[in-house]
Amino acid sequence: MWLFLSTEIMFFSALLGSYVVLRFGAAVWPKPHHVHLSEPIGAFNTFVLICSSVTIVLALEAARANRAGLAKLWMLLTLLLGTLFLGVKAYEYQAKFAHGIYPQAPHGRIYEKPDLYYGSAVRARLGEPAIIDKLKELDDTPAEQLTPEQVAARGRLQQIRKMVASPEQQAFDLAVVADQVMPLPTEAAAGSHGGVDSGSGHGGHSSGLNDIFPWLRLPAVIPGGNMWASTYFLLTGFHAVHVIVGLIVFTILLGYKLGPAQAGKIENAGLYWHFVDLVWIFLFPLLYLF
Amino acid sequence: MSNHDPHAAHSHGPITRPGDMPEHDHHEHAGHAAGHPADHGAEHGGIGKYLLVFLALCGLTTMSFLTYSSYWPWRDEPHVGWAFMMAVSCTKAMLVVLFFMHVFSEANWKYVLTIPAAMMAIFLALMLVPDIGMRNRMVSQERALHMARSSDVLLMEQAAEAKVLEEPAQH
């Protein structure tokens, strides 16, 4: 088991090392709130994994003390906590995908900087037949049928459509477009400093045109966002795969009578699970707080 | 591996040099064979120890989360926060490894496997530094044109503050 764990140490520390090297070598790296990462959710997931580490240790102790029922209960609790971790992770992934943050095209809609390529990508999206129809429909909708927020957003969208079509657009205009499509939230707007209200001020998570009109799905600008997405999904993805393997092992173990005879198996499963916890202990600050 | 044998897996390493096995070791092994399940808890310090470690881990997580809150005094100096978080993470890792993974009460031979593996991983990361970590020191003009820079973030922040589009909408 320890031989296996040492190969896992190499695997993950190579990934983590590459992440650190890539991150500090990058000219610009997005802040956590630029990429819709929520620190409280990450901290909660850390807490969940720590709890599951304790429950698996308690399962081992109970099995050694020949209390099979108690061991099974702890094991079940570990399984549930691991599933909860995965559920929270899936929710977080969903939040990224909803903002077009994917590691790669065609799903990825991240542009590195508000340059002419970005402008032409926005223009191309606005020129798609389905979007043209939708825009026409939006323009013809009476203001009474829309919320005041949507009316204001419609006005901004109309100006943006003129801006990207204009032959005299400047870099600053494109930055304005990018800011309207998906603003880079400031720390205050992202609900940092312990606050929870987000989206109230400018730059909040839900004030972008993409959020107000979800069908729009315009390209967005996150400087450094592509490299961030690649490393984030690779690291958390491999970690999630390890969590899934752990859950499968726990499910198999739940089929046994967890007495002293199975203590060796539980110990090995536990060692593996502690390692998964260990990796997250480093992933959480590196990804969420740096 | 040692862990397949529950009788040998704790407290004493399964591999002991034949020369220096102390006398009382035999006695303890005999004791295990007799009253084995009951004295496990006592030997490892029991559930209380695990709860203590658990509380310490929770406290440390809160500490690293502190760097994100408004009480953190070094908000303008991110390196302080990074160093602090890494110190906290290493402490947490040590706690998990020593107590949950029972390394504290097991033989030293595991280090023979894990330390070289960890060192090789560190060297791998270091070897990436010249080509990957310093990739932006010397870039072609074309690449420099297309890569994101901190000035792009600045530009977008300026665009957000200017509120070019919002004024006509209010009229």
Side-chain angles (χ1 to χ4, degrees):
Chain A
M1 193 63 203
W2 280 95
L3 191 61
F4 170 67
L5 283 186
S6 67
T7 64
E8 289 281 73
I9 289 176
M10 284 172 75
F11 178 74
F12 268 108
S13 43
L15 278 180
L16 275 172
S18 319
Y19 165 75
V20 169
V21 170
L22 282 171
R23 187 214 185 293
F24 288 99
V28 50
W29 197 259
K31 298 234 162 47
H33 44 264
H34 288 174
V35 283
H36 305 270
L37 264 188
S38 164
E39 287 92 341
I41 292 180
F44 173 73
N45 247 356
T46 312
F47 176 70
V48 168
L49 264 200
I50 289 175
C51 285
S52 72
S53 243
V54 175
T55 52
I56 189 73
V57 153
L58 293 177
L60 175 64
E61 291 295 311
R64 278 181 174 163
N66 204 6
R67 298 169 71 181
L70 190 65
K72 196 157 268 188
L73 189 71
W74 286 124
M75 186 68 88
L76 192 67
L77 207 58
T78 314
L79 187 71
L80 288 178
L81 285 168
T83 317
L84 178 64
F85 176 87
L86 273 190
V88 174
K89 202 79 232 156
Y91 168 76
E92 285 191 292
Y93 271 29
Q94 182 51 42
K96 312 280 172 300
F97 293 159
H99 288 100
I101 302 175
Y102 283 87
Q104 218 189 346
H107 298 296
R109 301 196 301 270
I110 309 173
Y111 279 74
E112 289 284 305
K113 57 197 295 180
D115 57 4
L116 287 172
Y117 294 98
Y118 173 68
S120 63
V122 174
R123 203 159 52 237
R125 175 68 185 159
L126 289 173
E128 283 176 25
I131 296 297
I132 289 177
D133 291 346
K134 279 277 206 179
L135 285 172
K136 202 165 155 28
E137 194 184 306
L138 180 69
D139 288 340
D140 295 341
T141 312
E144 299 85 58
Q145 288 177 22
L146 299 168
T147 63
E149 197 187 24
Q150 282 174 327
V151 173
R154 182 171 70 175
R156 283 177 286 159
L157 181 59
Q158 280 160 351
Q159 292 180 64
I160 278 180
R161 281 150 71 190
K162 285 197 197 97
M163 280 169 100
V164 287
S166 150
E168 288 128 36
Q169 53 188 298
Q170 302 288 316
F172 188 74
D173 298 334
L174 288 166
V176 170
V177 172
D179 178 60
Q180 286 298 326
V181 169
M182 190 170 90
L184 298 181
T186 56
E187 265 187 67
S192 189
H193 299 280
V196 279
D197 65 314
S198 62
S200 50
H202 178 85
H205 276 253
S206 56
S207 68
L209 290 175
N210 270 351
D211 293 303
I212 296 169
F213 305 117
W215 45 267
L216 209 52
R217 297 174 21 146
L218 288 170
V221 172
I222 304 174
N226 280 311
M227 187 64 91
W228 178 86
S230 304
T231 52
Y232 172 82
F233 285 111
L234 191 74
L235 284 168
T236 56
F238 270 121
H239 182 259
V241 167
H242 279 76
V243 172
I244 291 170
V245 169
L247 295 184
I248 292 171
V249 170
F250 294 146
T251 315
I252 294 171
L253 279 176
L254 276 175
Y256 287 90
K257 182 181 179 294
L258 298 177
Q262 305 300 335
K265 283 194 187 112
I266 301 174
E267 179 162 20
N268 280 342
L271 283 174
Y272 173 78
W273 193 249
H274 296 316
F275 176 77
V276 172
D277 182 22
L278 216 63
V279 171
W280 185 255
I281 283 176
F282 283 102
L283 276 186
F284 167 61
L286 282 174
L287 290 176
Y288 286 78
L289 299 172
F290 260 46
Chain B
M1 302 282 110
S2 73
N3 310 307
H4 294 306
D5 180 5
H7 294 261
H10 47 85
S11 151
H12 321 283
I15 300 172
T16 322
R17 276 161 293 175
D20 52 31
M21 183 183 275
E23 280 282 300
H24 64 266
D25 239 38
H26 296 286
H27 293 294
E28 270 193 27
H29 272 296
H32 270 295
H36 144 276
D39 57 327
H40 260 288
E43 194 183 333
H44 282 294
I47 290 164
K49 189 188 69 183
Y50 291 129
L51 287 181
L52 211 64
V53 173
F54 170 68
L55 286 179
L57 285 174
C58 288
L60 286 167
T61 308
T62 318
M63 273 166 76
S64 59
F65 191 68
L66 197 72
T67 58
Y68 162 78
S69 78
S70 54
Y71 301 108
W72 184 248
W74 294 284
R75 290 198 77 83
D76 304 328
E77 201 52 72
H79 297 90
V80 178
W82 294 346
F84 177 75
M85 276 185 278
M86 278 300 98
V88 167
S89 284
C90 288
T91 316
K92 279 161 76 176
M94 284 308 258
L95 282 177
V96 170
V97 169
L98 288 181
F99 292 99
F100 287 171
M101 294 171 98
H102 296 150
V103 168
F104 194 56
S105 51
E106 279 198 56
N108 292 332
W109 69 272
K110 299 186 169 68
Y111 296 116
V112 177
L113 287 176
T114 49
I115 288 181
M119 280 173 76
M120 280 183 60
I122 290 168
F123 281 132
L124 186 129
L126 286 179
M127 278 187 281
L128 286 173
V129 169
D131 274 356
I132 310 293
M134 298 181 177
R135 67 190 182 281
N136 289 327
R137 294 273 176 90
M138 300 271 275
V139 289
S140 66
Q141 203 169 13
E142 197 197 356
R143 213 189 117 94
L145 260 173
H146 294 302
M147 72 186 204
R149 279 184 256 213
S150 40
S151 58
D152 294 314
V153 183
L154 215 65
L155 191 66
M156 284 188 68
E157 280 169 3
Q158 283 167 356
E161 278 165 23
K163 297 193 174 166
V164 185
L165 300 183
E166 275 168 31
E167 279 164 67
Q170 280 164 5
H171 286 302

